[in-house]
């Protein structure tokens, strides 16, 4: 079935419920029923009782996304250029019949690093897999120019670099917490040492008791900070360090898998171009022999034409086979890209959430430490409120008095 030429249908035409309109890379409009996955060249009728048009094609594929269905099959209906190859090679009058379609395909698509994309000037904005979410699976299909201008970086490579950078940031956070632990340990050690200092140890009375409690509170505070550093190690630093220990190896495996699919795609693309060139040569040879037949009739020329026609037909078959293998490879790459980018997106969300939870644990430990530190100085406050200089003086005088006889004046 050769699809009818596209009409001048407005984008504002209301379709029956469940139908959506798309444009193929060749500019032809077709329709997809999102409920039944039915596709048709002709605009579906909203009138009840009208059956589907002869151009209807039922497919198990969902609506198009990024130029492809979710399974990786090209979203637009099959291009008729390859259908005309066998006919064109069998009829010398139709040798150029595939040229306009091929030219149109070239104008409506572009190939970047062996991956075929719709041309942005001829295709409307494509439907996203996850609209409004800025998902990885929608925005990393093409390659990006290297900022240094030394080449291009694949979109998937950018995602891998972000994942590895996230792993590095996680490691550096763990090292930061380790430095915090060292500070706590050193602080606790200094507090414990200071609590054993004998300065002002001879202070007496209620003030002496308060001073002794001040030094004891330092020892208690040292113990609090030691416990804080131990919890930081077990509940924050260690989990950050050990989270996804084999992450780099897993990312390398993932990178190699996608890279192998790209290499296979490049190989299939090279085969397509080679087959396309071979078909062109066979068609040119057939055309030349046909022209010779018009000039001079001979049995030999007719046999040559039959032979050239067979070779041209075979070249057309080879090209269609190569194109089919290329499309299969591109579909496989597409499927793996969608699956893998969504997995990378999930891993990134998981990493961020893990770090957030452990930093919340850090702040919780800080609050607990401050609370315990406050508890170490509460006894000091209590004793300081009980300091009584008069009482202290009485107690000291009672202990150290030498006598209560006052001197009298000398008599003459």
């Amino acid at each position: 079935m050769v699809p009818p030429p596209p009409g001048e249908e407005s984008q504002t035409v209301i379709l029956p419920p469940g139908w959506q309109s798309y444009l193929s890379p060749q500019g032809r409009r077709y329709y997809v029923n999102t409920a039944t996955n039915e596709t048709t060249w002709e605009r579906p009728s909203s009138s009840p009782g009208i059956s589907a048009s002869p151009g209807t094609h039922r497919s198990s594929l969902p609506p198009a996304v990024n130029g492809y269905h979710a399974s990786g099959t090209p979203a637009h209906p099959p291009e008729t250029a390859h259908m005309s190859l066998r006919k064109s090679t069998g009829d010398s009058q139709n040798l150029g019949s595939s040229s306009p379609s091929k030219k149109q395909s070239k104008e409506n698509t572009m190939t970047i690093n062996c991956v075929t994309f719709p041309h942005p000037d001829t295709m409307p904005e494509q439907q996203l897999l996850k609209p409004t979410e800025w998902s990885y699976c929608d925005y990393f299909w093409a390659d990006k120019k290297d900022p240094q201008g030394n080449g291009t970086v694949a979109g998937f490579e950018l995602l891998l670099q972000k994942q590895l950078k996230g792993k590095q940031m996680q490691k550096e956070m763990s090292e930061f917490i380790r430095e915090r632990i060292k500070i706590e340990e050193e602080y606790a050690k200094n507090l414990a040492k200071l609590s054993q200092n004998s300065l002002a140890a001879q202070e007496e009375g209620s003030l002496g008791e308060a001073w002794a409690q001040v030094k004891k509170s330092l020892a208690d505070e040292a113990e609090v900070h030691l416990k804080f550093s131990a919890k930081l190690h077990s509940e924050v630093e260690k989990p950050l360090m050990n989270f996804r220990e084999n992450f780099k190896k897993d990312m390398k495996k993932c990178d190699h898998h996608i890279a192998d699919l790209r290499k296979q795609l490049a190989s299939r693309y090279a085969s397509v171009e080679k087959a396309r060139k071979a078909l062109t040569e066979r068609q040119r040879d057939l055309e030349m022999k046909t022209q010779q037949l018009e000039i001079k009739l001979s049995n030999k020329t007719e046999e040559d034409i039959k032979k050239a026609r067979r070779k041209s037909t075979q070249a057309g078959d080879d090209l269609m086979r190569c194109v089919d293998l290329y499309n299969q490879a591109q579909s496989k790459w597409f499927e793996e890209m969608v699956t893998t980018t969504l997995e990378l997106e999930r891993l990134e969300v998981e990493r961020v959430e893990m770090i957030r939870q452990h930093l919340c644990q850090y702040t919780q430990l800080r609050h607990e430490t401050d609370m315990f530190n406050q508890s170490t100085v509460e006894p000091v406050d209590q004793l300081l409120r009980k300091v009584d200089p008069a009482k202290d003086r009485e107690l000291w005088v009672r202990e150290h008095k030498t006598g209560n006889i006052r001197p009298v004046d000398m008599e003459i």
Side-chain angles (χ1 to χ4, degrees), residues 4-174:
E8 299 298 327
E9 180 182 3
S10 172
Q11 293 287 349
T12 60
V13 173
I14 299 177
L15 297 173
W19 287 89
Q20 292 187 10
S21 172
Y22 296 94
L23 285 178
S24 73
Q26 287 69 40
R28 298 183 178 90
R29 185 173 301 282
Y30 66 102
Y31 305 88
V32 178
N33 188 313
T34 58
T36 63
N37 294 323
E38 183 180 4
T39 60
T40 177
W41 289 108
E42 297 184 4
R43 189 170 76 84
S45 173
S46 58
S47 301
I50 299 180
S51 59
S53 65
T56 299
H57 170 67
R58 183 171 297 276
S59 169
S60 61
L61 300 176
V65 177
N66 283 333
Y68 292 87
H69 292 288
S71 65
T73 306
H76 52 80
E79 180 60 38
T80 58
H82 302 309
M83 298 181 183
S84 64
L85 289 176
R86 188 183 301 274
K87 180 180 178 181
S88 65
T89 54
D91 188 352
S92 61
Q93 300 298 322
N94 295 328
L95 287 174
S97 61
S98 65
S99 298
S101 180
K102 178 179 176 182
K103 181 178 180 181
Q104 185 184 38
S105 177
K106 288 288 186 179
E107 292 175 351
N108 292 329
T109 60
M110 59 182 181
T111 302
I112 303 175
N113 288 346
C114 305
V115 181
T116 305
F117 296 96
H119 199 288
D121 295 337
T122 59
M123 287 290 292
E125 184 176 353
Q126 292 176 309
Q127 182 180 347
L128 300 178
L129 278 170
K130 300 177 73 174
T132 74
E133 294 188 26
W134 292 95
S135 174
Y136 291 167
C137 65
D138 283 320
Y139 296 99
F140 292 91
W141 293 100
D143 297 345
K144 185 177 182 180
K145 289 186 178 180
D146 192 341
Q148 285 75 26
N150 298 326
T152 59
V153 180
F156 186 75
E157 184 65 25
L158 289 176
L159 293 177
L160 285 182
Q161 291 175 4
K162 176 173 176 55
Q163 294 290 320
L164 296 177
K165 180 181 178 181
K167 177 64 175 176
Q168 180 63 27
M169 295 301 99
Q170 171 189 323
K171 179 181 177 182
E172 292 181 10
M173 289 179 187
S174 177

Side-chain angles (χ1 to χ4, degrees), residues 173-217:
M173 289 179 187
S174 177
E175 293 173 353
F176 179 90
I177 298 298
R178 181 58 194 160
E179 291 300 316
R180 182 73 172 89
I181 291 173
K182 289 180 179 179
I183 293 174
E184 288 296 321
E185 292 174 341
E186 187 66 23
Y187 182 54
K189 179 180 177 181
N190 291 333
L191 285 177
K193 182 179 179 180
L194 183 60
S195 69
Q196 302 299 320
N197 194 291
S198 60
L199 292 175
Q202 297 181 358
E203 180 62 50
E204 300 174 341
S206 58
L207 182 60
E209 293 177 7
W211 176 248
Q213 186 61 43
V214 167
K215 293 198 292 184
K216 184 179 183 302
S217 70

Side-chain angles (χ1 to χ4, degrees), residues 166-178 180-181 231-247 350-362:
K167 177 64 175 176
Q168 180 63 27
M169 295 301 99
Q170 171 189 323
K171 179 181 177 182
E172 292 181 10
M173 289 179 187
S174 177
E175 293 173 353
F176 179 90
I177 298 298
R178 181 58 194 160
R180 182 73 172 89
I181 291 173
K231 288 186 176 182
L232 280 181
H233 172 69
S234 61
E235 299 179 19
V236 181
E237 179 208 2
K238 193 174 180 180
L240 285 175
M241 180 63 71
N242 296 337
F243 183 68
R244 296 178 185 163
E245 291 180 306
N246 299 322
F247 186 72
E350 185 180 68
R351 181 190 74 89
V352 172
E353 180 60 23
M354 181 276 300
I355 293 176
R356 187 193 69 82
Q357 290 179 359
H358 286 90
L359 291 182
C360 287
Q361 180 64 14
Y362 167 78

Side-chain angles (χ1 to χ4, degrees), residues 403-410:
N404 58 359
I405 301 175
R406 295 186 298 275
V408 296
D409 293 339
M410 183 182 294

